[in-house]
Amino acid sequence: MKHNGVSAARSASGIAVVLLLAYGVPVAAQQPDTASIDAIFAHFRRPGSPGCAVGVTRDGRTVFQKGYGYANLDWDIPITPSTVFYAGSVSKQFTATSLVLLAERGKLSLDDPVTKFIPELPDSTYGRVTLRQMLHHTSGVADLYRAMGRAGIPVADVFSDSAAIRLLASQPLNFPPGTRYSYSNGAYFLLAKVVARVSGMSFREFAQQNIFGPLGMAHSRFHDRAGHIVKRRAMSYEPADDTGFVQSYMSNFDKVGAGGLYTTVGDLLTWQRAFFGGKVGGPDFLRTMLTKGVLNDGDTLSYALALVDTLYDGHRIIGHTGSMMGFKADLIRFPDDDLGIAMLCNLGSVRQRQLTLPVADLFLGGSGSGVRP
């Protein structure tokens, strides 16, 4: 579930956008043809191709939702906005949200050491690692999937959560806590375990009762048991020279926290509106979530709590990508422009920002020549 943007960086004709002149002076709103968005996803409209679902919100309303390509190539089931995809590391913002909600309720402090909640982790290694550092990827905690690879344990195998904790407990830190940034799925897996132990329910249940249920995200859930049925689930694929595409779905994969979220573009847009609209948590929730990490030497990161906050073509952009199996995801927000874009795909060759940022350009009137975060 690697995130690739930390270091740098409406239906039919009812889409209204503000076009900008070359010098940035706004002109009368115009309606870009839906075909302009279709063209960005034209590659997936060929017969028998996996593809993507995309949704756009502008000025607080969903102004575009559409699917391109197929959710299941065996049955020729097309992708629609209601298709459910695995969201990869987009999941992490819900893990971070869960920690912040518990902190607001006085159940924990983000500056608590992780060993307070997971004593199986050796104090000699993890005693100075805080939840906040883990949220910002500055803890030095090993990446779980890399650790599995080093141990000869395929991610596709059945592998219990307790075994995953033991594996991480045996790993040295990659660096002293707070001294560097290094993306860690291991840290977020452990954070989900903290949520479960503090709340007294599974992480899946906590997210359902405290996030998905209250917000009406009816098609979202954390997949913590491989045998659970997921209605309207897309399969995932990779390109293959001989047959066109092959499945790349790990049916045994059930780890949550770093990933594990199944959802739709509509649910992600619902989440995004609530998140930035002050409908999640207390009065300081949004500020906490958007506070960037700071290293021990004072260097400030672009990574906040599972959200990257940077610039694109002069516009502030906040978001996170996701990637696992053949699934690709992106959820981005241009807060000063009240523009949000959600995209979920089931083809591993997709490069998320090569699709979502051109969509943003149509709404922002940008040149598309900015640094892509």
Side-chain angles (χ1 to χ4, degrees):
M1 278 161 262
K2 183 179 178 182
H3 181 263
N4 58 3
V6 169
S7 63
R10 152 219 290 183
S11 301
S13 60
I15 309 171
V17 303
V18 176
L19 297 180
L20 302 181
L21 294 174
Y23 297 101
V25 180
V27 297
Q30 298 185 24
Q31 297 181 357
D33 197 327
T34 301
S36 298
I37 298 178
D38 290 346
I40 295 170
F41 296 89
H43 179 74
F44 308 111
R45 302 180 73 183
R46 57 184 175 148
S49 174
C52 304
V54 62
V56 181
T57 58
R58 189 76 190 266
D59 300 327
R61 298 183 300 116
T62 298
V63 296
F64 183 89
Q65 285 193 90
K66 194 168 182 178
Y68 304 89
Y70 287 85
N72 187 299
L73 300 185
D74 291 324
W75 291 92
D76 291 336
I77 300 171
I79 292 172
T80 74
S82 63
T83 300
V84 175
F85 295 80
Y86 187 86
S89 287
V90 169
S91 309
K92 287 182 171 69
Q93 59 198 268
F94 298 95
T95 307
T97 291
S98 299
L99 268 293
V100 174
L101 291 177
L102 288 171
E104 290 182 337
R105 298 167 190 175
K107 301 296 184 180
L108 55 79
S109 166
L110 299 185
D111 295 310
D112 284 335
V114 64
T115 51
K116 180 177 179 180
F117 310 102
I118 310 181
E120 302 97 309
L121 300 173
D123 191 69
S124 58
T125 304
Y126 284 83
R128 294 185 296 115
V129 174
T130 68
L131 305 181
R132 192 184 303 275
Q133 291 167 337
M134 294 167 70
L135 287 163
H136 288 304
H137 297 296
T138 61
S139 65
V141 172
D143 185 272
L144 175 59
Y145 310 124
R146 291 177 183 172
M148 292 174 67
R150 290 192 295 267
I153 306 169
V155 177
D157 281 5
V158 174
F159 188 60
S160 70
D161 286 1
S162 58
I165 292 175
R166 289 195 298 271
L167 178 61
L168 288 171
S170 71
Q171 305 295 305
L173 297 182
N174 290 328
F175 48 83
T179 61
R180 286 174 46 197
Y181 168 93
S182 183
Y183 196 81
S184 174
N185 290 302
Y188 270 77
F189 166 78
L190 293 174
L191 288 170
K193 286 302 174 186
V194 172
V195 172
R197 294 186 180 188
V198 172
S199 69
M201 61 183 76
S202 71
F203 180 67
R204 170 179 54 81
E205 292 169 328
F206 184 89
Q208 174 60 36
Q209 293 186 24
N210 293 273
I211 303 173
F212 304 148
L215 295 181
M217 298 172 64
H219 309 295
S220 299
R221 63 173 292 148
F222 274 97
H223 194 67
D224 60 359
R225 284 183 58 189
H228 280 163
I229 303 301
V230 181
K231 298 291 187 180
R232 300 191 302 277
R233 168 173 27 185
M235 294 302 294
S236 77
Y237 303 91
E238 295 284 353
D241 292 337
D242 54 346
T243 60
F245 303 99
V246 293
Q247 285 189 9
S248 61
Y249 187 72
M250 295 184 291
S251 59
N252 288 323
F253 187 74
D254 60 359
K255 296 293 169 280
V256 296
L261 175 68
Y262 279 84
T263 189
T264 64
V265 292
D267 272 12
L268 288 178
L269 294 176
T270 294
W271 160 251
Q272 193 181 73
R273 285 192 297 265
F275 181 90
F276 287 96
K279 296 180 180 179
V280 182
D284 293 328
F285 171 83
L286 188 60
R287 178 190 59 79
T288 300
M289 288 290 296
L290 297 183
T291 297
K292 298 178 179 180
V294 180
L295 298 178
N296 294 347
D297 63 5
D299 187 22
T300 300
L301 308 173
S302 62
Y303 204 94
L305 297 194
L307 291 165
V308 180
D309 187 347
T310 185
L311 291 175
Y312 170 68
D313 255 359
H315 299 264
R316 187 183 180 196
I317 177 175
I318 300 172
H320 208 291
T321 60
S323 180
M324 185 65 170
M325 298 174 270
F327 294 106
K328 294 298 181 82
D330 199 7
L331 182 61
I332 55 177
R333 178 78 176 173
F334 296 83
D336 300 331
D337 305 279
D338 202 0
L339 175 68
I341 301 171
M343 185 185 72
L344 296 165
C345 307
N346 65 338
L347 181 58
S349 58
V350 164
R351 298 297 175 259
Q352 297 93 316
R353 295 290 164 93
Q354 292 181 11
L355 298 172
T356 53
L357 291 179
V359 173
D361 291 334
L362 295 176
F363 287 86
L364 298 172
S367 65
S369 60
V371 175
R372 301 204 162 194

